[in-house]
Amino acid sequence: MQDLTELTAVQLVEGYRKGEFSPVEATRAALDRAELIQPEVNAFVRVTGEEALAQARASAERWRRGEPSGAVDGVPVTVKDILLMRGVPTLKGSRTISESGSWDEDAPSVARLREQGAVFLGRTTTPEFGWKGVTDSPLTGVTRNPHDPSRTAGGSSGGAAAAVALGAGPLALGTDGGGSVRIPAAFCGVFGLKPTYGRVPLYPASAFGTLAHVGPMTRDAADAALLLDVIGVPDSRDWSALGPAAGPYTAALSGGVRGLRVAYSPSLGGQVAVQPGVAAAVRRAVERLAGLGAYVTETDPDFADPVDAFHTLWFSGAARVTQHLGPRQRELLDPGLREIRELGAGMSALDYLAAVDVRMELGRRMGRFHDSYDLLVTPALPITAFEAGTEVPKGSGHRRWTGWTPFTYPFNMTQQPAASVPVGTDGDGLPVGLQIVAARHRDDLVLRAAHALYEAGAAGIAPPVSAHEGHVQG
């Protein structure tokens, strides 16, 4: 019998349309998988099984009548526990937030999915307030890598990535303020897209300001395009949201890469030490892009590491998001978050504006860079997944998570679309991600290039779970 947890959202919708299986069957399979993986991987804050099955039954009736609500009617989806979801507490990985309350509003992306009949499986894990590049929190503990549970899933959308990788729903909503979609996508071997800032509306506004994006986490680029078409529409609650896209992203997938000008930067001009297994996998994928007709040039964007400016922006946001807490509540915080919030609280408005100046200059440089190149390709991360439960790899010498994520956070500062595409594994069998970046508003080019890699067999890795054996393979 066909394992419905192995199907993409596109395949599920096609199966519903043909009457081959129902949303109820797909939802039961996804819920069973969520229950199976939770003890070892810890991807979920809560699973909303009864509600999901009720939604699936309603979807099945709409499909029976030939009247689906939208493009994702009946498709199981998970929501990171940062985004508001009606009827379910949003705890953000923090012991400082009470479950009591009405919880009567959806975030824009959740609202759009609900309108189109998606089935909500539950809430996925996050570090406290999404503050770091791994997923562990005082509230929910450690989220682990589906390919090796002794290692981290990455973060801050680690639960979302693990759920997708293990078949607990083909679609997931993540957030990305410095790499939080792309980092776990790379570590877990799934596709993750940080769209152009404003393409997916965000409400309430993030304390991290215009660094924060909402993005799809999926099995492949085609599912991400489908999800972006649903959630990437204006919402009046977000004054910074973009207007409607020029056309469906699903329609832009088939353009291929022939003739595109691709800049390949393996180490940002020697600024980043990349593990050999990562470098080799990324280079092979870049060679495949060239074989598909892209004009590939090995060159680097002209910028120095903006980490100090990013820290000013990020630490200030951490101070802001915890500003309302009293001394006793602050003692409940993740110690690392407590540390950076103290640093952020000591920064001045002039410090912040100086960081904004760095950001503006970085944006100018990347704007000029994309006058010459349609796409920039880099490793998504210089390393593969390391030990779970730590912010940085042991012995790395890094103090903060930004030390091992130099390819991701610069493009939050510039608000450009960027995706992590799985392009194989290293010598230990751990997933490697390739990052594709385009100029602002050219999300279509990122998705086109990623889709071309999937179509050519150069993207994607073997799933980490055996449905027949029923266990996570490490």
Side-chain angles (χ1 to χ4, degrees):
M1 181 178 177
Q2 188 175 32
D3 185 350
L4 299 183
T5 67
E6 295 181 356
L7 300 185
T8 66
V10 171
Q11 291 169 331
L12 286 177
V13 170
E14 185 62 18
Y16 301 158
R17 183 175 292 110
K18 293 179 178 179
E20 295 174 347
F21 43 79
S22 76
V24 175
E25 293 171 299
T27 298
R28 283 183 175 144
L31 288 170
D32 287 346
R33 183 58 58 83
E35 181 180 5
L36 174 69
I37 68 174
Q38 181 63 12
E40 189 166 20
V41 177
N42 189 30
F44 288 89
V45 176
R46 68 183 65 219
V47 176
T48 52
E50 291 185 10
E51 297 90 336
L53 287 170
Q55 293 162 3
R57 287 190 285 269
S59 172
E61 176 60 23
R62 291 191 294 272
W63 280 105
R64 188 192 66 78
R65 298 196 308 265
E67 300 173 353
S69 293
V72 293
D73 199 338
V75 177
V77 62
T78 63
V79 179
K80 183 180 179 180
D81 197 32
I82 289 287
L83 300 167
L84 291 179
M85 183 175 171
R86 194 175 72 219
V88 184
T90 301
L91 302 179
K92 303 183 180 182
S94 182
R95 293 181 293 177
T96 68
I97 297 177
S98 171
E99 291 194 19
S100 63
S102 56
W103 306 108
D104 58 358
E105 192 169 21
D106 284 331
S109 51
V110 177
R112 301 295 86 76
L113 283 165
R114 196 183 299 277
E115 289 164 2
Q116 296 212 19
V119 172
F120 294 103
L121 297 179
R123 311 304 304 268
T124 53
T125 52
T126 176
E128 196 163 22
F129 299 109
W131 81 270
K132 59 183 174 179
V134 295
T135 300
D136 58 69
S137 75
L139 181 68
T140 58
V142 178
T143 296
R144 299 179 179 275
N145 193 292
H147 296 266
D148 179 351
S150 73
R151 301 179 188 248
T152 180
S156 62
S157 305
V164 170
L166 290 167
L171 302 180
L173 291 179
T175 64
D176 189 317
S180 290
V181 160
R182 291 158 290 154
I183 295 166
F187 276 178
C188 294
V190 301
F191 183 80
L193 172 67
K194 177 186 75 67
T196 299
Y197 178 81
R199 172 48 55 212
V200 180
L202 179 60
Y203 170 84
S206 171
F208 297 102
T210 57
L211 295 172
H213 304 228
V214 178
M217 304 184 73
T218 58
R219 297 272 181 79
D220 59 22
D223 269 11
L226 174 69
L227 182 50
L228 188 58
D229 280 341
V230 173
I231 65 176
V233 294
D235 188 288
S236 60
R237 293 172 291 175
D238 182 355
W239 65 268
S240 64
L242 299 176
Y249 290 105
T250 48
L253 289 172
S254 60
V257 297
R258 182 167 299 279
L260 291 182
R261 302 163 299 167
V262 176
Y264 167 44
S265 178
S267 62
L268 294 180
Q271 296 183 78
V272 184
V274 179
Q275 287 180 353
V278 173
V282 170
R283 185 172 288 275
R284 286 193 296 270
V286 171
E287 290 170 352
R288 182 60 66 90
L289 286 173
L292 293 171
Y295 296 115
V296 177
T297 304
E298 188 166 328
T299 188
D300 304 299
D302 178 25
F303 65 79
D305 187 353
V307 67
D308 290 337
F310 179 80
H311 280 168
T312 298
L313 301 170
W314 196 251
F315 296 176
S316 297
R320 178 60 177 160
V321 77
T322 57
Q323 185 180 25
H324 65 288
L325 301 177
R328 288 189 178 181
Q329 285 185 303
R330 290 176 190 172
E331 288 301 314
L332 299 175
L333 295 174
D334 181 325
L337 174 58
R338 193 161 61 241
E339 182 178 327
I340 70 163
R341 74 151 311 273
E342 293 298 329
L343 293 171
M347 292 172 177
S348 70
L350 289 178
D351 294 329
Y352 192 92
L353 291 174
V356 170
D357 286 343
V358 172
R359 185 179 190 183
M360 295 298 182
E361 174 60 17
L362 179 60
R364 184 194 69 81
R365 287 174 181 266
M366 287 309 302
R368 292 296 299 272
F369 184 81
H370 285 290
D371 286 341
S372 300
Y373 299 100
D374 300 302
L375 296 172
L376 169 65
V377 173
T378 74
L381 295 167
I383 60 174
T384 50
F386 54 88
E387 182 180 359
T390 61
E391 183 184 345
V392 301
K394 288 184 177 179
S396 66
H398 299 310
R399 180 75 183 97
R400 296 263 77 101
W401 63 272
T402 44
W404 52 270
T405 61
F407 292 111
T408 59
Y409 56 78
F411 304 109
N412 291 82
M413 297 178 76
T414 61
Q415 303 187 340
Q416 293 171 249
S420 178
V421 186
V423 290
T425 57
D426 69 359
D428 294 323
L430 296 169
V432 172
L434 169 146
Q435 180 173 234
I436 303 174
V437 184
R440 292 176 74 243
H441 312 297
R442 294 312 309 265
D443 306 72
D444 60 315
L445 289 183
V446 174
L447 289 165
R448 270 176 54 188
H451 185 64
L453 286 172
Y454 278 101
E455 290 284 283
I461 58 174
V465 73
S466 168
H468 304 291
E469 297 176 10
H471 68 276
V472 177
Q473 297 175 338

